[in-house]
Amino acid sequence: MMKLSNDVTRDMLFDVVQEFLGDLEKEQKEAAEKYKNNPGSLFDHDVSLVYQIAGDMLKSRLDTICE
């Protein structure tokens, strides 16, 4: 388990993770759009899936931390 230093609060960490999650979602949408425009591009499809999985995992972890 990660220990936070005295000058970093859970809220600050949560804000950073939320910002990162927003970036992940943006990248996932862009990759999905590229794949939609070029269905033959398996790379864009795979990139979209990787971002989606990473985002889902992060959301799941945040949900368990916030309970």
Side-chain angles (χ1 to χ4, degrees), residues 7-8 35:
D7 58 343
V8 176
Y35 177 67

Side-chain angles (χ1 to χ4, degrees), residues 45-59:
H45 178 260
D46 292 347
V47 168
S48 175
L49 285 177
V50 167
Y51 281 127
Q52 181 179 353
I53 291 167
D56 290 347
M57 289 174 57
L58 190 55
K59 286 178 195 173

Side-chain angles (χ1 to χ4, degrees), residues 15-65:
D15 289 344
V16 169
V17 172
Q18 286 287 89
E19 186 176 331
F20 177 70
L21 182 57
D23 292 343
L24 271 178
E25 290 172 346
K26 178 184 166 211
E27 293 294 333
Q28 188 274 329
K29 287 178 184 176
E30 287 178 7
E33 188 64 30
K34 286 181 184 178
Y35 177 67
K36 182 181 174 185
N37 291 333
N38 184 9
S41 175
L42 293 179
F43 176 78
D44 290 325
H45 178 260
D46 292 347
V47 168
S48 175
L49 285 177
V50 167
Y51 281 127
Q52 181 179 353
I53 291 167
D56 290 347
M57 289 174 57
L58 190 55
K59 286 178 195 173
S60 175
R61 183 67 179 138
L62 283 176
D63 289 344
T64 60
I65 289 172

Side-chain angles (χ1 to χ4, degrees), residues 3-20:
K3 293 184 180 181
L4 299 177
S5 68
N6 291 338
D7 58 343
V8 176
T9 67
R10 289 186 185 275
D11 288 339
M12 292 168 70
L13 182 60
F14 183 79
D15 289 344
V16 169
V17 172
Q18 286 287 89
E19 186 176 331
F20 177 70

